[in-house]
């Protein structure tokens, strides 16, 4: 039996709040974006989001909400939906106010570009970004991974804005992925790690050309390549692809290998079956909304 090894959550769960009353459409829009962007469509979400409707947040600025959450001891990153979330298929990602050594180092290198910005009763800079929802899970990993190189690269590319209550900063950050195009999606979704049984589910080759074409990075040429049988690949919901192996595993024993997910496999839910259904699919792929989403 082909078993996909789950990645599991790569970052802690996220909380989303709304500055307007949380309608069913806003809720479904957020669910839809996360369904695509987190591998949830393959049963393995890399991050989960809890959507809250707190009436006293309606009409509040991101800074106000940040302060309220801080007083509640919730200093982590959070998301903000607003009156344009459905129209733009976008959501705000608001950074923590906790002390950031990485941010301090970046400011020392370029204090003019990253000044400490003070507002009334504020002694921190509120960093945030406006993301297309489906792209956010992949971007969010860099923000919370603690890698200063990633953070400085994002800031250096102007992908992360200092909060200014007088500036709507409506530019949306996108990965350039068309989430209704399997080829485009697979450029973001990595391959599945899986196990299968040698012989009955896995076939082997020692062909030198195949071994060269499928060698891992710049490592040594391994003695064999393996792939699922056509039947096993269909049953597992993945594509039939060769994968370099350090040894040929005897028949009946378990093999670990990788293969790309197959979004068109009936094992996985159809695009129209994700939260929001056909109505949301129509909204996402209408010519006007397609342009807003960066879709072609």
């Amino acid at each position: 039996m082909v078993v996909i090894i789950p990645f599991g959550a790569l970052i802690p769960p996220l909380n989303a709040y709304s500055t307007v009353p949380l309608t069913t459409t806003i809720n479904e829009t957020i669910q839809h974006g996360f369904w695509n962007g987190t591998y949830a469509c393959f049963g393995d979400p890399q991050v989960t989001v809890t959507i809250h409707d707190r009436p006293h947040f309606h009409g509040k600025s991101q800074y106000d909400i940040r302060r309220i959450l801080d007083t509640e001891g919730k200093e982590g990153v959070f998301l903000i939906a607003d009156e344009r979330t459905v129209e733009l298929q976008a959501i705000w990602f608001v950074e923590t106010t906790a002390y950031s050594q990485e941010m301090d180092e970046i400011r020392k290198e370029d204090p003019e570009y990253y000044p400490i910005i003070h507002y009334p009763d504020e002694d921190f800079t509120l960093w945030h970004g406006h993301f297309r929802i489906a792209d956010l899970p992949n971007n969010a990993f860099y923000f919370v991974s603690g890698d200063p190189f990633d953070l400085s690269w994002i800031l250096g590319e102007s992908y992360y804005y200092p909060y200014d209550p007088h500036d709507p900063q409506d530019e949306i950050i996108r990965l350039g992925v068309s989430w209704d195009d399997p080829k485009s999606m697979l450029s973001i979704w990595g391959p599945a790690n899986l196990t299968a049984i040698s012989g009955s589910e896995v076939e082997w080759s020692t062909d030198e050309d195949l071994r060269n074409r499928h060698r891992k990075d710049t490592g040594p040429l391994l003695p064999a390549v393996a792939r699922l049988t056509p039947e096993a690949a269909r049953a597992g919901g993945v594509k039939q692809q060769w994968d370099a192996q350090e040894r040929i595993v005897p028949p009946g024993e378990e093999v670990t290998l990788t293969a790309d997910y197959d979004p068109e496999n009936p094992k996985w839910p159809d695009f129209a079956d994700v939260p929001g259904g056909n109505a949301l699919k129509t909204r996402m792929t209408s010519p006007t909304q397609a342009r807003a989403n960066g879709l072609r």
Side-chain angles (χ1 to χ4, degrees):
M1 179 179 178
V2 177
V3 177
I4 293 178
I5 303 169
F7 282 102
L10 296 181
I11 62 176
L14 294 171
N15 289 298
Y17 306 94
S18 182
T19 58
V20 294
L22 184 66
T23 64
T24 300
T25 305
I26 294 175
N27 188 63
E28 288 182 345
T29 299
I30 298 172
Q31 287 181 333
H32 181 277
F34 268 75
W35 179 272
N36 280 327
T38 66
Y39 284 74
C41 49
F42 297 132
D44 184 22
Q46 295 183 338
V47 61
T48 58
V49 59
T50 301
I51 306 169
H52 308 265
D53 187 14
R54 297 176 60 166
H56 60 294
F57 281 3
H58 298 167
K60 291 283 198 301
S61 70
Q62 294 179 22
Y63 170 61
D64 290 335
I65 294 173
R66 172 79 277 171
R67 289 179 58 185
I68 293 170
L69 293 175
D70 283 352
T71 62
E72 297 175 358
K74 300 172 182 175
E75 295 184 342
V77 298
F78 62 92
L79 310 179
I80 288 290
D82 58 22
E83 68 279 358
R84 303 189 68 190
T85 290
V86 174
E87 173 194 355
L88 300 176
Q89 301 288 317
I91 198 166
W92 292 93
F93 178 94
V94 184
E95 178 61 284
T96 177
T97 57
Y99 173 78
S100 169
Q101 183 176 352
E102 291 84 5
M103 197 64 243
D104 265 9
E105 293 300 319
I106 293 168
R107 287 198 186 101
K108 289 176 183 176
E109 293 176 8
D110 195 347
E112 292 185 5
Y113 193 77
Y114 305 115
I116 297 178
I117 301 172
H118 295 280
Y119 298 110
D121 304 316
E122 179 189 2
D123 58 0
F124 58 84
T125 297
L126 182 64
W127 292 96
H128 68 177
H130 202 189
F131 293 87
R132 189 164 60 133
I133 299 169
D135 294 336
L136 175 64
N138 289 279
N139 279 298
F141 172 73
Y142 294 107
F143 297 135
V144 300
S145 66
D147 187 330
F149 173 79
D150 289 329
L151 182 60
S152 61
W153 178 81
I154 292 164
L155 292 171
E157 293 293 316
S158 299
Y159 277 179
Y160 216 23
Y161 311 108
Y163 177 62
D164 183 343
H166 306 296
D167 182 357
Q169 296 180 324
D170 283 336
E171 180 183 354
I172 298 172
I173 300 166
R174 299 181 176 90
L175 291 175
V177 179
S178 296
W179 290 102
D180 60 347
D181 176 3
K183 290 183 179 179
S184 186
M185 289 189 294
L186 289 172
S187 70
I188 295 298
W189 291 329
N193 295 311
L194 51 91
T195 60
I197 303 302
S198 182
S200 60
E201 297 176 330
V202 178
E203 51 192 40
W204 298 85
S205 176
T206 56
D207 179 81
E208 185 174 354
D209 181 54
L210 282 176
R211 289 159 53 212
N212 270 304
R213 280 192 282 138
H214 298 282
R215 69 194 303 166
K216 296 182 183 296
D217 300 322
T218 57
L221 184 64
L222 297 180
V225 289
R227 68 180 181 182
L228 296 174
T229 64
E231 297 79 10
R234 282 194 296 271
V238 296
K239 298 184 177 182
Q240 189 188 31
Q241 295 172 321
W242 291 110
D243 186 51
Q245 297 286 314
E246 294 183 354
R247 68 185 183 95
I248 296 179
V249 177
E253 293 188 16
E254 189 174 84
V255 183
T256 300
L257 64 163
T258 64
D260 285 339
Y261 288 101
D262 182 2
E264 299 178 359
N265 189 293
K267 178 184 178 75
W268 310 118
D270 183 72
F271 183 76
D273 293 333
V274 303
N278 285 310
L280 190 55
K281 178 181 179 181
T282 301
R283 180 167 64 250
M284 283 285 288
T285 55
S286 68
T288 301
Q289 193 56 56
R291 287 192 294 272
N293 289 334
L295 305 179
R296 299 186 182 276

